[in-house]
Amino acid sequence: MDYTKILDWLKNNLNEERYLHTLGTAECAKELAGKYGLDREKAYLAGLLHDCAKCFSNGKLLDIIHKNLHVEECEMLNYKTLHAPVSAFIAEKEFNVTDKEILSAIRWHTLGKLDMSDFEKIVFLADKIEPNTRDKEYSEQIRILLNETNGLNKALLRCYKETIKSLVKRDLKICILTIEIYNKLQDILQN
């Protein structure tokens, strides 16, 4: 993989803060992959490309979605999540990423999905706790959970709790998938 080409493309298509976030997410994903015995290079690549469409206009995101992708109606409730399926599309079309695990982790890094693989979970979490732009206190709380038994699921549940609280506080709609994942994590951790 030509990381120079990817980094140049990202510098030209992301604002400075998003670029720093992307670098942090890539490094954090690589670190978490090592912790959980997963492919560190694949995690790094997924982290690099997870937000590659984040700075596209809503019009451009919608245009790409309508012309090229199948996106569920509930995913369209919040414009902040539209970049995830488009980022997976860009990773495949622009950078020739064919690894299904990487593409799926990019695709689901915002909303998540039921039955996420550990690889998808670490990319999801890396996006929330990377050290360059994310709240340090919150990140530390998530990292503490990651050190516990069943830490990935505990960390995910904490992220979903915070997401739901934030959406309610801002009077935004909540995708039913978010509620389903939250409920499933509750079931897993209570058994």
Side-chain angles (χ1 to χ4, degrees):
M1 187 57 62
D2 184 1
Y3 288 114
T4 304
K5 177 185 175 190
I6 293 172
L7 291 170
D8 286 344
W9 191 95
L10 292 171
K11 283 179 192 171
N12 289 322
N13 287 277
L14 300 176
N15 63 39
E16 185 177 341
E17 182 178 1
R18 186 59 48 184
Y19 182 71
L20 288 173
H21 165 73
T22 294
L23 295 179
T25 300
E27 287 298 330
C28 186
K30 186 176 181 178
E31 171 200 335
L32 291 175
K35 178 180 178 79
Y36 290 97
L38 302 170
D39 190 310
R40 291 167 48 91
E41 287 308 308
K42 282 175 46 170
Y44 182 80
L45 181 58
L48 271 186
L49 294 174
H50 84 287
D51 269 357
C52 63
K54 181 70 174 179
C55 293
F56 288 5
S57 70
N58 289 340
K60 183 173 182 175
L61 292 169
L62 289 169
D63 186 55
I64 292 170
I65 288 170
H66 292 311
K67 288 180 179 174
N68 303 288
L69 304 171
H70 171 76
V71 176
E72 296 294 328
E73 193 64 37
C74 83
E75 295 179 76
M76 304 291 282
L77 293 176
N78 187 337
Y79 69 92
K80 290 183 161 239
T81 62
L82 297 178
H83 72 280
V86 176
S87 290
F89 176 78
I90 297 296
E92 185 173 13
K93 299 303 178 197
E94 181 75 25
F95 301 108
N96 301 313
V97 175
T98 58
D99 187 294
K100 298 298 182 206
E101 194 171 35
I102 294 171
L103 294 172
S104 185
I106 295 169
R107 167 72 176 85
W108 296 107
H109 82 271
T110 56
L111 289 174
K113 67 177 187 174
L114 291 168
D115 302 318
M116 279 192 278
S117 69
D118 285 352
F119 188 82
E120 290 164 330
K121 290 175 184 178
I122 65 157
V123 174
F124 181 96
L125 290 167
D127 179 42
K128 309 297 184 272
I129 66 169
E130 60 83 12
N132 293 348
T133 63
R134 298 303 193 201
D135 180 76
K136 301 218 183 309
E137 184 179 328
Y138 177 73
S139 296
E140 187 55 37
Q141 292 169 6
I142 298 298
R143 286 181 178 279
I144 289 168
L145 290 173
L146 287 169
N147 289 322
E148 296 180 10
T149 301
N150 213 351
L152 276 174
N153 287 328
K154 287 178 181 177
L156 276 177
L157 180 60
R158 175 65 191 275
C159 288
Y160 277 96
K161 284 180 182 178
E162 294 305 316
T163 296
I164 292 167
K165 283 187 220 174
S166 174
L167 291 169
V168 169
K169 188 176 188 178
R170 294 180 290 154
D171 283 331
L172 295 172
K173 292 180 180 180
I174 303 173
C175 177
I176 193 68
L177 179 60
T178 299
I179 303 299
E180 290 172 353
I181 295 167
Y182 172 83
N183 288 339
K184 180 155 189 175
L185 288 166
Q186 284 283 22
D187 290 342
I188 290 168
L189 292 169
Q190 289 176 3
N191 291 331

